[in-house]
Amino acid sequence: MLGSEGEKAFLLGNEAIARGALEAGIDVFACYPGTPSSEIGDTLARVSKLLKDFMHVEYSTNEKVAFEVAMGASLAGKRGMCAMKHVGVNVASDALFSFAYIGAVGGFVLVSADDPSMHSSQNEQDNRWYGLSAKVPVFEASNVQELKDLTKECFDISERFGLPVILRTYTRLSHARGVVKLGKIPEKKLEKVEWVAKPEKFVVLPSNARRLKLELEKKLKNLQDFLERWERNWVEDGDRKLGIIACGLSYSYVKDALKRLNVNLPILKLSSVHPLPMKKIEDFVTSVDKVLVVEEVDPIVETFVKTLTKDVYGKLSGHLPMHYEYNIPIVEKAIAKLLNVPTSVDYDSIVERAREVSKIAPPRPPVLCPGCPHSPVFYVLRKIANEIKCALPSDIGCYTLGYNPPYRAVEVCVCMGASVGVSNGLSWVIKDKIIATIGDSTFFHAGIPALINAVYNGAKFVLIVLDNLTTGMTGHQPHPGVGLKADGSVGKSVKIEDVAKACGVDFVEVVNPYRVEELEDVIRRALEHDGVAVVVARQRCSIVRMREVRIKGKKLLPFEILQDKCNACGECFRVFSCPAIYLDGEKPQIDPSLCTSCGVCARICPNKAIRVKKT
């Protein structure tokens, strides 16, 4: 990652973004980890330990805070960047819209990692709409090398035109790997500067905002003129019967599809998707018989191009799918249909064969890890919910897997922090008990305001904070409850139970979820509390715990099932559903390579047939 200028490195797309930021001389980076953006922060956090005093890197409590941290750096004339997954921009959008009016001083780049096909997300939104709505420029790259170069260039464009910039990437590009030629990382230190106050510019009172909006429109017009000549928007010549407008990564799909079809068609490759270089587009459209627009996720560019000519094809015409991410076969089929030629292979038969195979293959739903501290919580919740009718709202995280059988302990999941907000509303309209679950990092992200609201308005429900002492789903990044900062240095730990008490919650208890009987007792008592009750189920993530065990050279003894005592009741493998326990014929066995020695199975076994394996 810290190779010299001119060297080549095999980088992940997100690592290329981090490298581009380093070459741009970034001063402040902030993020809330979210797949597919997480590796940007992880990479810069590691590098910050090596490049002492080069920059400040932090994991912020949520995306809005991350945006504002980077914005503060920009207002002081420093270069700031924040990164988040597409839904994170929803959280940061309040600051984004107003910052567009104020404008950047130092270069400011917001990396939005979209997730076509929803590999790890609850929706498939296209964040180019934020650029159009907030009047902020949006740029896309077509490969890993360009992603690195474009990241660096975005800082220059931001400063040149005084605008915050959105760099849009997506799962396939963020998680692709490619050979990247490295540029030079400048020799610098993050030095503090004198604050230059500009209240008439930085304070968006209505009187200022009305003037600033007019200035914003002028900036965008100047930028659009620049983008008409920008070298990253280019035209490739070919047979004029069909022209292709390709945006970002779609350009790579188009090039491979044309190679498979053995045809040469003109391509307008776009890296700027807002503002669009409309004069360049118009010249291209009028030079071909018809146009195919290839873009992920929504038909934004296609809609604009349809104002120039009627012979436009893409999502709106049905030649390309409206939903989910593209690949080479999808693009090839669209081109072949418009050219009235066969595809290079029979993709329909391949898809049909894959469907037949999928019917034979056993289903493999994602599961919680062996030893996951969330498993006993959901085990107890299902037990209680079988006795007492309960509503079970939950939140965004690996614990959302509590939705799956056999637990079925997640009944509502909307967005970060919504488990607490939804419980507020449910408490006024349903007769049943309410037990909400939320992760520790998510609690700090968006759970606290809703918890305060619940106490203030007198709601009644139980909130279980699943505290595994890390941000588990996105790669084990730290959060305020851990006491570590992005670079690994020690910070101040903020205890969830202290925050809950400060919010006015009277019933607050901490319990180790591995102690199943104690956990059940605490939850049942919390259900009887007249008001909001908070239970903090604290136990380290099993992946992190086992990693620490290996690093220390310790050896944990796995558990075993005593076959003479076991009656195959299924409590351990069917009801608790530990992935380390499997059926060998009619009797369950424990896979010692998966067992994390949490001991939960032994505690719940009604026949006391499970114990630590003797050496």
Side-chain angles (χ1 to χ4, degrees):
M1 189 65 195
L2 291 180
S4 302
E5 182 180 10
E7 287 185 10
K8 292 184 178 180
F10 192 52
L11 299 182
L12 197 69
N14 281 340
E15 292 173 334
I17 293 174
R19 176 71 192 201
L22 291 170
E23 292 179 10
I26 185 175
D27 295 299
V28 172
F29 174 83
C31 72
Y32 182 85
T35 307
S37 72
S38 303
E39 294 86 359
I40 304 170
D42 296 344
T43 302
L44 289 173
R46 289 195 301 271
V47 170
S48 68
K49 299 176 188 177
L50 304 174
L51 296 177
K52 295 295 183 183
D53 302 320
F54 184 87
M55 60 184 167
H56 169 74
V57 178
E58 71 171 56
Y59 294 110
S60 304
T61 50
N62 65 30
E63 294 87 356
K64 181 174 183 288
V65 174
F67 186 99
E68 291 161 351
V69 168
M71 179 173 65
S74 174
L75 293 177
K78 296 292 186 178
R79 290 189 156 183
M81 184 167 86
C82 57
M84 56 200 68
K85 67 183 296 171
H86 61 299
V87 291
V89 181
N90 300 335
V91 182
S93 61
D94 196 7
L96 170 64
F97 276 70
S98 292
F99 188 37
Y101 279 35
I102 292 170
V105 181
F108 179 96
V109 179
L110 162 61
V111 180
S112 170
D114 289 10
D115 191 19
S117 286
M118 298 164 282
H119 295 281
S120 58
S121 307
Q122 63 269 42
N123 68 37
E124 197 185 35
Q125 71 188 47
D126 187 330
N127 275 0
R128 291 179 296 173
W129 291 113
Y130 272 115
L132 272 70
S133 185
K135 300 185 182 300
V136 171
V138 183
F139 300 97
E140 294 182 1
S142 61
N143 56 54
V144 178
Q145 174 71 59
E146 189 177 33
L147 193 55
K148 189 273 290 185
D149 296 335
L150 185 56
T151 301
K152 181 180 178 181
E153 197 165 345
C154 278
F155 283 96
D156 296 331
I157 291 173
S158 174
E159 289 178 355
R160 177 174 175 177
F161 295 94
L163 288 165
V165 165
I166 295 176
L167 174 62
R168 183 194 185 220
T169 181
Y170 9 70
T171 302
R172 289 294 169 193
L173 188 55
S174 286
H175 290 167
R177 286 191 179 274
V179 176
V180 175
K181 184 177 181 181
L182 305 180
K184 183 179 180 181
I185 298 176
E187 294 183 9
K188 77 168 188 70
K189 285 191 175 183
L190 175 56
E191 296 180 348
K192 294 187 176 181
V193 296
E194 293 290 333
W195 169 245
V196 179
K198 299 178 182 178
E200 70 286 348
K201 179 177 174 63
F202 295 167
V203 180
V204 282
L205 287 169
S207 58
N208 289 334
R210 284 189 285 269
R211 173 179 47 81
L212 291 172
K213 182 176 181 181
L214 298 179
E215 293 180 10
L216 173 58
E217 298 286 359
K218 290 179 183 177
K219 290 178 182 178
L220 286 173
K221 179 63 174 66
N222 292 336
L223 176 59
Q224 187 169 28
D225 293 342
F226 165 78
L227 295 176
E228 295 285 358
R229 308 181 304 276
W230 192 36
E231 62 181 11
R232 294 198 183 276
N233 294 327
W234 70 71
V235 175
E236 299 173 9
D237 202 8
D239 188 339
R240 294 284 162 174
K241 60 187 174 185
L242 175 64
I244 302 176
I245 298 177
C247 308
L249 183 59
S250 298
Y251 169 78
S252 298
Y253 295 148
V254 168
K255 293 292 286 185
D256 282 336
L258 293 179
K259 190 180 296 183
R260 291 187 183 188
L261 289 169
N262 194 28
V263 294
N264 182 33
L265 298 176
I267 303 171
L268 169 55
K269 188 265 191 184
L270 293 178
S271 290
S272 65
V273 290
H274 178 69
L276 285 168
M278 292 303 292
K279 180 65 170 63
K280 198 178 198 76
I281 293 173
E282 184 176 7
D283 290 344
F284 180 79
V285 167
T286 55
S287 70
V288 297
D289 295 341
K290 52 189 174 184
V291 179
L292 174 67
V293 181
V294 188
E295 58 185 323
E296 310 242 37
V297 167
D298 293 338
I300 296 176
V301 175
E302 184 181 350
T303 301
F304 277 96
V305 175
K306 285 181 83 69
T307 65
L308 302 175
T309 178
K310 63 180 181 179
D311 294 317
V312 181
Y313 302 89
K315 289 176 177 286
L316 296 175
S317 67
H319 285 75
L320 288 164
M322 187 65 76
H323 308 292
Y324 313 136
E325 65 183 349
Y326 288 162
N327 54 38
I328 299 167
I330 286 174
V331 175
E332 183 186 343
K333 286 171 68 176
I335 297 171
K337 184 177 180 180
L338 286 168
L339 293 177
N340 196 26
V341 298
T343 54
S344 57
V345 296
D346 185 357
Y347 291 115
D348 291 336
S349 64
I350 293 174
V351 171
E352 187 57 37
R353 286 200 300 272
R355 284 179 182 149
E356 291 301 317
V357 171
S358 67
K359 292 176 183 177
I360 302 170
R364 295 178 61 87
V367 296
L368 294 168
C369 302
C372 176
H374 305 334
S375 295
V377 175
F378 290 128
Y379 168 80
V380 170
L381 285 187
R382 178 37 50 203
K383 181 180 179 181
I384 292 174
N386 287 341
E387 301 171 13
I388 308 167
K389 194 165 184 295
C390 298
L392 301 170
S394 193
D395 230 291
I396 304 295
C398 48
Y399 50 90
T400 313
L401 293 173
Y403 162 82
N404 290 331
Y407 303 126
R408 287 297 192 187
V410 171
E411 296 175 342
V412 180
C413 179
V414 182
C415 62
M416 300 285 277
S419 62
V420 194
V422 167
S423 296
N424 273 258
L426 289 176
S427 68
W428 302 112
V429 295
I430 67 172
K431 298 176 181 178
D432 310 296
K433 301 284 189 180
I434 303 166
I435 308 177
T437 46
I438 190 171
D440 44 348
S441 185
T442 310
F443 175 81
F444 287 112
H445 177 286
I448 297 171
L451 181 60
I452 293 171
N453 184 77
V455 174
Y456 169 63
N457 285 293
K460 177 176 169 58
F461 59 88
V462 176
L463 175 64
I464 302 177
V465 183
L466 302 163
D467 185 6
N468 62 1
L469 298 167
T470 189
T471 310
M473 189 179 189
T474 55
H476 305 108
Q477 296 85 1
H479 60 66
V482 177
L484 294 176
K485 293 190 283 188
D487 61 0
S489 61
V490 177
K492 184 174 177 60
S493 174
V494 180
K495 295 296 183 185
I496 292 170
E497 58 270 29
D498 293 343
V499 173
K501 290 173 184 175
C503 290
V505 180
D506 295 323
F507 186 106
V508 180
E509 291 201 23
V510 181
V511 62
N512 182 345
Y514 287 167
R515 297 172 182 165
V516 184
E517 289 186 2
E518 184 181 337
L519 171 67
E520 182 177 345
D521 175 68
V522 171
I523 295 174
R524 289 188 184 277
R525 287 191 287 108
L527 283 168
E528 299 305 315
H529 178 68
D530 187 20
V532 180
V534 172
V535 177
V536 182
R538 178 172 294 141
Q539 175 58 249
R540 191 172 302 280
C541 168
S542 60
I543 294 176
V544 176
R545 179 169 63 87
M546 296 304 289
R547 184 185 297 150
E548 291 175 350
V549 166
R550 286 192 294 271
I551 290 172
K552 292 176 182 177
K554 292 183 179 180
K555 202 165 187 180
L556 296 178
L557 294 176
F559 280 68
E560 65 176 350
I561 297 174
L562 303 175
Q563 297 301 308
D564 58 330
K565 287 189 175 183
C566 175
N567 65 357
C569 68
E571 192 72 15
C572 62
F573 66 86
R574 187 179 297 117
V575 182
F576 178 57
S577 190
C578 176
I581 302 177
Y582 64 98
L583 274 181
D584 184 9
E586 294 183 356
K587 292 291 186 76
Q589 298 280 1
I590 296 177
D591 184 342
S593 66
L594 293 178
C595 180
T596 66
S597 305
C598 68
V600 174
C601 58
R603 294 186 178 95
I604 67 171
C605 178
N607 297 308
K608 306 300 179 186
I610 304 178
R611 70 178 185 187
V612 175
K613 189 173 185 178
K614 293 182 179 179
T615 56

